[in-house]
Amino acid sequence: MNKRALKDLLYEQVARIGKATSSPKRLELLEILAQGEKTVDVLAAEANIDIKLASAHLKVLKEARLVEARREGRFIIYRLSGSDVSNLWVNLRTVAEEHLVELKVAMDQIFSTPEKLDPQTRRGLLDKARRGDVVVLDVRPSDEYANGHLPYARSMPLAEIKKRLAELPTDKEIVAYCRGPFCMLSAEAVQLLREHGYQANKVADGLPEWLAAGLPIETGES
Amino acid sequence: MNKRALKDLLYEQVARIGKATSSPKRLELLEILAQGEKTVDVLAAEANIDIKLASAHLKVLKEARLVEARREGRFIIYRLSGSDVSNLWVNLRTVAEEHLVELKVAMDQIFSTPEKLDPQTRRGLLDKARRGDVVVLDVRPSDEYANGHLPYARSMPLAEIKKRLAELPTDKEIVAYCRGPFCMLSAEAVQLLREHGYQANKVADGLPEWLAAGLPIETGES
DNA sequence: CTAACATTCTAACGATGTTTAGAATGTAGA
DNA sequence: TCTACATTCTAAACATCGTTAGAATGTTAG
């Protein structure tokens, strides 16, 4: 076999990863899976697509070895095949945010106050959380919190906030986060909290971004 | 506009980056551009494709804002639109190397002695190069060397090595590198050097990998 | 064993991407 | 202005992908 054919083979393999990440739906599935393992029906519901279609996309991701599946009873549970896949998602999204004007514009329209974090402010948030100067609030579903969350974060899924308002302090800043910059849960949480007189803000980071920045996380129930 | 439509818009934008990296040829073009800016005909020659096809692929990369173009006389010069694009290429290739067995097998077939570098050995190489314990040899074309090279590296393009053998020491280890793990220049250089009695080895790293690892580089002619 | 259920497989459609060749554009130099 | 040249644009053939619906598979509970 000649040199060119061999080279072509190498790039073709990398292109398998590129192809797997070339569909919006598959990217959304990857982001959801970056929060923890999920069954097909949960993934389909979260991504708002038909189960059959979700299954087809998951098959593509599996063939590219970006996800793995295992059966548990009647359900098949998918998970990312490594933390490097989560990092790749963050990397792709970051490049898109950096270079695609259309994405910047869309983000500005959706999220009035962008709260991007740089390494320094991430550390700062960590320190303030440790000292108890802010309450870090994880508003994702509780299974995602259990799978991994920011240090010192408390779990309060968006759907439960209204009933559990009393648990939150009114004299401290509350910092809400969810799945990442594209997730709208924290924005809704902030709106709800502010309406009830709390000092609430959101940060764009989710677990994948935190991990990609090389920062530590915690796991386990609240 | 409803929430779902807005979300779809976000993922669609990221998918533009994925789509741009879903073709082997485009990935090869990105890797070449990660060594420095190039004209279309040089890119086409390096990637072994027709100029028209190269132009078409470059157009796709440009629409995804991964590359930029400027005209200089009769030539149009393309360059990556940021160092994050170079990092993305490294990230994609690394994920592929990690998860795709087919790629591992192909790499083993082509490169008999894989010389992957971890952060520690990279630092070690840097130290040895500084002390002069090894000669780091950049065997890429000289314009790529001028655009950026590993610290303390000497430029000796593959095509010139035979004539310039006398410049190299026989009592020191020579470490050759080129464009990255997929590039065959350094492997050929090592073979040539060994045939002439030199102690030569190669490392998989190229400039993009070195930069992605957060290590410093040098620029300028030799 | 049967029914209910989650998921995948198969087949089909239109939409999109890759590649090639020929025409068109824009620049440099005579 | 005319010619040579690098590059892009256009059109067309062909392959691949996304999506949908219906059939098939494998598992659990009765």
Side-chain angles (χ1 to χ4, degrees), chain A residues 3-4 11 13 15-16 18-19 21-22 27-28 31 46 65 81 84 91 99-100 102 184 188, chain B residues 3-4 11 13 15-16 18-19 21-22 27-28 31 46 65 81 84 91 99-100 102 184 188:
Chain A
K3 231 192 296 182
R4 178 36 53 183
Y11 292 105
Q13 293 304 313
R16 285 172 65 188
K19 282 201 187 84
T21 58
S22 69
L27 289 171
E28 187 163 4
E31 190 196 31
E46 287 283 356
R65 308 288 155 78
S81 53
D84 56 341
N91 198 171
H99 295 288
L100 299 176
E102 297 87 339
M184 301 172 182
E188 289 178 46
Chain B
K3 230 192 297 182
R4 178 37 52 184
Y11 292 105
Q13 293 305 313
R16 285 173 65 188
K19 281 202 187 81
T21 57
S22 68
L27 288 171
E28 187 163 5
E31 189 194 32
E46 287 283 357
R65 308 290 155 77
S81 52
D84 56 341
N91 198 172
H99 296 287
L100 300 176
E102 297 87 337
M184 301 172 182
E188 289 178 44

Side-chain angles (χ1 to χ4, degrees), chain B residues 31-207:
Chain B
E31 189 194 32
I32 300 166
L33 286 170
Q35 316 296 325
E37 52 180 35
K38 304 271 178 186
T39 61
V40 179
D41 64 339
V42 170
L43 285 165
E46 287 283 357
N48 208 248
I49 53 177
D50 190 276
I51 292 185
K52 291 168 181 175
L53 182 53
S55 175
H57 280 306
L58 287 166
K59 189 187 173 193
V60 175
L61 289 172
K62 198 164 104 184
E63 279 165 357
R65 308 290 155 77
L66 294 183
V67 306
E68 298 168 343
R70 71 170 199 279
R71 183 179 271 278
E72 201 154 283
R74 277 182 305 164
F75 295 88
I76 292 187
I77 302 176
Y78 279 86
R79 61 168 175 279
L80 296 190
S81 52
S83 59
D84 56 341
V85 178
S86 168
N87 289 348
L88 178 60
W89 153 245
V90 175
N91 198 172
L92 280 165
R93 207 205 50 238
T94 308
V95 169
E97 285 177 332
E98 182 66 32
H99 296 287
L100 300 176
V101 191
E102 297 87 337
L103 183 52
K104 285 180 197 163
V105 171
M107 293 282 281
D108 285 350
Q109 278 183 348
I110 301 174
F111 308 108
S112 41
T113 52
E115 275 284 1
K116 283 265 189 65
L117 296 185
D118 56 44
Q120 205 177 355
T121 46
R122 282 199 181 97
R123 282 277 169 204
L125 177 63
L126 197 54
D127 289 340
K128 279 198 282 185
R130 180 174 19 240
R131 289 196 306 266
D133 291 349
V134 298
V135 174
V136 177
L137 211 62
D138 186 323
V139 300
R140 299 174 300 160
S142 52
D143 63 310
E144 298 183 6
Y145 175 88
N147 174 255
H149 52 262
L150 301 210
Y152 313 105
R154 287 168 59 175
S155 174
M156 196 175 290
L158 183 58
E160 297 177 16
I161 292 184
K162 238 173 191 162
K163 292 167 194 158
R164 295 174 58 185
L165 279 172
E167 298 176 28
L168 296 171
T170 48
D171 59 342
K172 277 187 195 169
E173 188 194 353
I174 296 167
V175 173
Y177 79 92
C178 46
R179 289 170 179 155
F182 287 4
C183 179
M184 301 172 182
L185 296 174
S186 61
E188 289 178 44
V190 164
Q191 199 191 340
L192 190 67
L193 289 169
R194 285 187 180 167
E195 281 169 4
H196 287 81
Y198 292 88
Q199 308 161 38
N201 288 296
K202 79 184 189 87
V203 290
D205 272 21
L207 200 67

